[in-house]
Amino acid sequence: MSKVKPAPPPGCTLNISDPQVQEAAVRIQASYRGHRSRKELREKGPPKILQDLKDVVLVEGSAAKLECRVSAFPDPFIVWSKDGKELKDGPKYRYVFEDPDFVALVVRDGVLADLGKYTVSIKNPFGQTYGSACILVEVPAKVSKGPDNKQAKRGTTVVLKAEISGEPPPDVAWLKDGDDIEEDDRVFFDIGDTNTILTIKNAKLSDAGKYEVFVENHLGTDQSFARVDIL
């Protein structure tokens, strides 16, 4: 004996012969076809960069992140490089995919050698595109190796040399017994990319004392001392 199916609650039936129902169905189908067409159009093209990479500043010892927003389907193959050399995903360089639209590179444990131009290659079966930006490295001023103590005879030339570093390049000063040295033809100093040299010609007894080299940039300061004795 077959069971009689209960009637649906009021308002839960549709009359497909109703012109209003037919019109609504047409609109729904047209909307779906349009959505599908737009989706396929967006997905089937070559990769595009929607938000460019931007230059970033990396402070020595810290990390920096380069990121851009992309559009690509199927999922693209990503390669990062620095100054034309491919970077492998690992402890130093970390490939990051934050969501389907963003790709990023994290550079860890920053050093001056990380300065350079970085490029991301984004490739799928329909094409390839590139984006580039620079990492600018900043390093606190430092006296890497201070001057040595010196003993010299009167009338000879005394040379004090210090190795320095910093980015931006630091300001450099030499002091004697706590006072800035006023340069002249006999006592002067030179500043190179990685060192500074103080020269004392025709040394006098009054040149004996405690000498200091001082370096400074906006990230920090450093100094080193040496003793000069004139015999």
Side-chain angles (χ1 to χ4, degrees), residues 18 34 51 66 69 100 102 113 123 136 164 169 180 192 197 210 216 219 225:
D18 187 332
Q51 179 179 309
L66 293 166
R69 181 168 173 256
F102 280 89
K123 182 179 181 180
L136 311 172
I164 60 174
D180 288 337
I197 298 174
K210 182 181 180 181
E216 178 181 26
L219 295 172
F225 301 89

Side-chain angles (χ1 to χ4, degrees), residues 216-229:
E216 178 181 26
N217 64 15
H218 73 275
L219 295 172
T221 64
D222 197 13
Q223 65 273 334
S224 184
F225 301 89
R227 177 74 194 180
V228 173
D229 293 309

Side-chain angles (χ1 to χ4, degrees), residues 141-143 146-147 175 212-215 221-225:
K142 184 177 181 181
V143 179
L175 300 85
E212 173 188 355
V213 57
F214 177 86
V215 295
T221 64
D222 197 13
Q223 65 273 334
S224 184
F225 301 89

Side-chain angles (χ1 to χ4, degrees), residues 6-25:
C12 293
T13 59
L14 290 176
N15 181 1
I16 60 174
S17 298
D18 187 332
Q20 291 183 342
V21 173
Q22 293 176 352
E23 183 180 354

